[in-house]
Every structure is written in structure tokens, then in C-alpha cells.
Amino acid sequence: MKQLILIRHCQAEGQHKDSPLTQSGVNQAHRLAAFLNKQPIKLDRIISSPFMRAIETIKPYADEHHISIEKDRRLQERILSNEPIDDWIDVLETSFSNFDFRLPGGESSNDALKRGLEVLHQALKDEEHEHIAIVTHGNLLTILLSQFEKEFGFINWKMLTTPDVFVIQKEADKYAVEHVW
């Protein structure tokens, strides 16, 4: 049975693509690996955002199980704007209620959704792997999950933790989402 394990990265020092995990985030990454080891499934493929905080999140598990981490730019966090935003929380909330909303130089939710869903659909069609980890960021994760649980949105984004883990399981033509972390 095909399962996608969607993982939000651990606590990081910042939002820049090269921001590493904090010491607490490093500890979280090791706890995440231990948590994944206790699950009844074993990951057989890992696809991650190329941002350092995402890679460092899954690295302890990947190293222990000798699984390569495939970096995919389509999983990087959505850029709300290329300019500083004072009221970014309000902008983010608007972007969840209007998926076409976009600031200059930024991506709409639909833009981010399109690239993220490409990764998920390719993973779901992968006949060689059954348990695939997708490591990404909170904003993109929320947008993706909204496609499987229609009510998932801004309020859920506010409640995400670092890290956070969801399992999407495909049974026939239906999907079930479970929040496991």
C-alpha cells in the first residue's frame, strides 16, 4: 500500500535557504529518526526540499538506513514576496483564502501547489517504492494537505510544529491523511 510521509522540517535558525537547524532542531531530527524507526513502515525513498533545514531534518534517518536524499527544488518553501513584508501573517492568511492571491515577486498558493503536487503525483506513481518521505516546509505542506483534507488551511498552519509528520495513504482511488507527530 502506497504511503507518502510528509514531514515539516525541524526548528531552524532562520528562513534563508542555508539556515541550519538550531541545536534544539538537531535534537528534534534525532528524535524524528527514532520516531520513524518505531513506525511499522520503513522508508524506502526520501525526497527533500534543497533547503539546508529540510535536509538536516531527515539526515539522521537517511544516514542510519543508507538512503540517499533526493533534493527537489519543487519542495522549497513558497516565497510570499521578494520584498520585506511587515504584515506577513495577514498576507499568508489571505493567500490561504484566495489561492490566486500573489504579491509582486511572490508565488500564489496555486503556483506553489502546482509544483508541490507534481512531486506528490510522481511519488504516487513510483512503482519501485512504497513508503516515500517528502520533506518540506510549513507553508507548502499546508497547501498540499489542503488537497487531501479540504478544511486544512491557515488555522492548521498556525498549529503545525517543528517537526511535524503526516501520512497520506492511497487505497484504491481514495486518500486518507493521518497526523502522526
Side-chain angles (χ1 to χ4, degrees):
M1 187 177 317
K2 180 71 75 173
Q3 289 183 323
L4 299 181
I5 296 80
L6 276 62
I7 302 170
R8 181 188 187 192
H9 65 79
C10 298
Q11 185 182 66
E13 289 185 7
Q15 296 299 313
H16 187 269
K17 67 178 184 168
D18 294 326
S19 295
L21 296 180
T22 62
Q23 186 56 53
S24 176
V26 170
N27 293 338
Q28 291 170 345
H30 288 283
R31 286 195 309 274
L32 174 64
F35 170 80
L36 293 171
N37 283 329
K38 292 178 184 173
Q39 299 306 302
I41 55 103
K42 296 298 173 218
L43 300 178
D44 51 10
R45 183 177 179 198
I46 298 170
I47 309 169
S48 176
S49 160
F51 287 15
M52 183 182 292
R53 59 190 179 269
I55 293 166
E56 287 182 347
T57 292
I58 199 64
K59 192 168 182 352
Y61 183 91
D63 287 351
E64 181 179 343
H65 294 278
H66 309 289
I67 301 174
S68 64
I69 301 171
E70 301 170 38
K71 298 173 192 163
D72 194 318
R73 289 179 29 187
R74 296 174 295 178
L75 294 173
Q76 68 190 26
E77 184 61 289
R78 175 169 68 143
I79 297 171
L80 289 175
S81 174
N82 58 5
E83 300 292 325
I85 306 170
D86 291 332
D87 58 344
W88 70 271
I89 291 284
D90 295 333
V91 168
L92 185 63
E93 184 173 12
T94 299
S95 76
F96 279 112
S97 60
N98 176 358
F99 268 41
D100 291 319
F101 175 78
R102 168 198 334 246
L103 290 176
E107 279 184 296
S108 70
S109 292
N110 275 327
D111 294 335
L113 176 63
K114 180 181 176 189
R115 64 179 166 83
L117 280 178
E118 287 174 357
V119 177
L120 296 189
H121 289 298
Q122 287 172 353
L124 287 167
K125 290 178 183 174
D126 178 351
E127 295 180 4
E128 295 179 28
H129 302 94
E130 286 297 311
H131 310 291
I132 303 171
I134 308 286
V135 187
T136 190
H137 307 269
N139 192 320
L140 182 59
L141 175 69
T142 303
I143 293 167
L144 290 170
L145 288 171
S146 75
Q147 299 306 293
F148 299 93
E149 288 192 0
K150 295 299 179 198
E151 300 301 315
F152 207 87
F154 179 73
I155 298 297
N156 303 93
W157 170 83
K158 287 173 62 174
M159 294 187 302
L160 290 178
T161 61
T162 53
D164 221 330
V165 183
F166 294 82
V167 175
I168 298 175
Q169 191 164 287
K170 183 177 182 183
E171 299 175 15
D173 288 336
K174 289 187 168 188
Y175 296 94
V177 176
E178 183 180 4
H179 189 193
V180 297
W181 177 278

